[in-house]
Structure formats: structure tokens, C-alpha cells
Amino acid sequence: MEKNLVLIGMMGSGKSTIGRIIAKSTKLKFYDVDKIIENENNLQISEIFKKKGEDYFRKLEENISVRILKSSKSIISLGGGAFLNYKIRNEIKINSISVWLKWGSDILIKRIKNSKTRPLVNKLSEKELIKLIDNRTKVYAKADYKILCDKLNKEKIIKKILEIYKNEKNNSKN
Ligand code: S3P
């Protein structure tokens, strides 16, 4: 299959960890867009937010995500806010399949609330984070596939993604 498999969802949903494992088992190339942004700018995401502001970060995220999405046969994990961007969503439609790792907001909050590397977590209160999750949920719902992760362990989530990948691969042969 030529298409990429793109993992989307909130911070703390496991996109990078799971993406890396899926790439290993499928022998596909793996792109972690947040890491690429950091490497190309020689700055951590929290430093980009601090020094240049969120709007600047979002433009970088747009440019780099759109560029990486022009790959093929790759696993791509996007930053949590990337799918909110219309240009990124449109680029995904061209040559990628999107999979949303959906978790309940209580689990997500527990996972991210002590994160030092995520500027939005430092900036927003718990209530505001819950609101952000709610608002984003409506957009994440546009993904091609959704996996309800709350009751699954990592292995089961991976298994489900691999099933999606295999089905898509078979369908693309017909
Ligand atoms: C963000 C998520 C982060 C990173 C940045 C903004 C967001 O990525 O891109 O801190 O808006 O949700 P992860 O989802 O990989 O943590």
C-alpha cells in the first residue's frame, strides 16, 4: 500500500510510542512530527512556544506536517493539535489513512497533568484542558478510523491498528 498511516489524538494518547512500535513491526518508515520540528529548529517545543509563541509554532507544525504527509508507505505521528489545521487534514486526505486514538478525558488528564514538556498543559487549568479535549473531539471525529482505547492495553491497541493497516492494504490491491 502506498498510503501512510497517520496517528492522531490528544497529547498523552500514545501516538509516538505506538507509532514507533507499529513502524517496527510493519517495517515501514516512522516520522514523529513533533521530534522533526524540534530537530529542525534546534529547540524543544516548549522553548518554541516560549520564545516565538503558539502561532509561530502552529505555522511550523503546518509546514512540516504537510511536507511529511507527502511521503508514502510511512507511519506518521502528528502533534495533538495538528489535525485541527484544515491544510493538514486536507493533505491527509490525499495519501494517508488517519487513525484517532480516543481516550476519556479523565485518563488523558491524569497522564499529561504533570508533563513538563507540553506548554499547553502548563498554560491551561484542568477545566480548560477538559474543554479543549471536548472541542477537539468534534474534529478528531473526522478521522478515517477511531480506536476506543480506555479499556485496551497497549498490545490490543497495536493489534487493532495493524488490523486496520492490513485491511487497507488488501483493499488497495482490488
Ligand atoms: C500539542 C501537542 C503536542 C505538541 C505541542 C502542542 C497540542 O504534541 O505538538 O505541545 O496542541 O495538543 P503531542 O500530542 O505529541 O504531545
Side-chain angles (χ1 to χ4, degrees):
M1 179 173 74
E2 285 299 311
K3 286 191 175 179
N4 306 303
L5 196 115
V6 178
L7 297 180
I8 69 146
M10 269 301 287
M11 302 173 259
S13 56
K15 303 177 296 280
S16 303
T17 312
I18 289 173
R20 193 167 293 114
I21 298 171
I22 303 272
K24 261 201 190 135
S25 71
T26 52
K27 299 202 168 63
L28 298 176
K29 204 165 164 33
F30 175 59
Y31 293 100
D32 182 339
V33 172
D34 278 343
K35 282 276 160 300
I36 298 170
I37 295 174
E38 292 186 331
N39 292 341
E40 290 189 2
N41 290 277
N42 274 319
L43 286 173
Q44 309 229 300
I45 285 175
S46 56
E47 293 170 324
I48 301 176
F49 266 71
K50 214 188 304 171
K51 290 189 177 156
K52 315 256 183 159
E54 179 168 353
D55 288 352
Y56 182 89
F57 169 78
R58 294 298 173 197
K59 198 67 205 164
L60 277 180
E61 178 177 55
E62 177 182 297
N63 292 338
I64 296 179
S65 302
V66 165
R67 193 184 82 216
I68 297 298
L69 285 162
K70 295 194 188 295
S71 318
S72 52
K73 297 183 187 168
S74 299
I75 308 293
I76 300 170
S77 81
L78 291 178
F83 201 68
L84 281 295
N85 179 307
Y86 177 77
K87 279 197 190 158
I88 297 176
R89 282 206 309 281
N90 262 357
E91 192 64 39
I92 291 176
K93 279 191 205 144
I94 299 173
N95 193 39
S96 302
I97 293 151
S98 50
V99 179
W100 171 26
L101 304 182
K102 182 174 193 228
W103 297 86
S105 47
D106 43 345
I107 300 183
L108 288 172
I109 301 279
K110 253 188 223 151
R111 286 201 186 170
I112 61 177
K113 70 176 180 199
N114 295 319
S115 171
K116 296 274 175 289
T117 56
R118 295 183 166 107
L120 286 186
V121 175
N122 296 330
K123 197 177 99 180
L124 303 177
S125 67
E126 211 165 298
K127 216 170 143 193
E128 287 168 326
L129 272 177
I130 293 174
K131 198 155 173 237
L132 180 79
I133 297 169
D134 279 354
N135 289 336
R136 284 185 172 184
T137 291
K138 295 171 197 123
V139 185
Y140 291 150
K142 296 178 194 269
D144 298 313
Y145 292 92
K146 152 176 92 175
I147 299 180
L148 301 176
C149 298
D150 284 3
K151 297 196 174 90
L152 304 178
N153 59 22
K154 194 160 75 187
E155 288 65 37
K156 290 224 173 85
I157 298 171
I158 291 167
K159 198 168 157 234
K160 282 194 182 282
I161 299 173
L162 288 173
E163 275 166 19
I164 291 171
Y165 179 74
K166 274 182 208 137
N167 279 337
E168 287 285 342
K169 205 170 163 183
N170 288 336
N171 289 343
S172 68
K173 280 183 197 149
N174 304 326

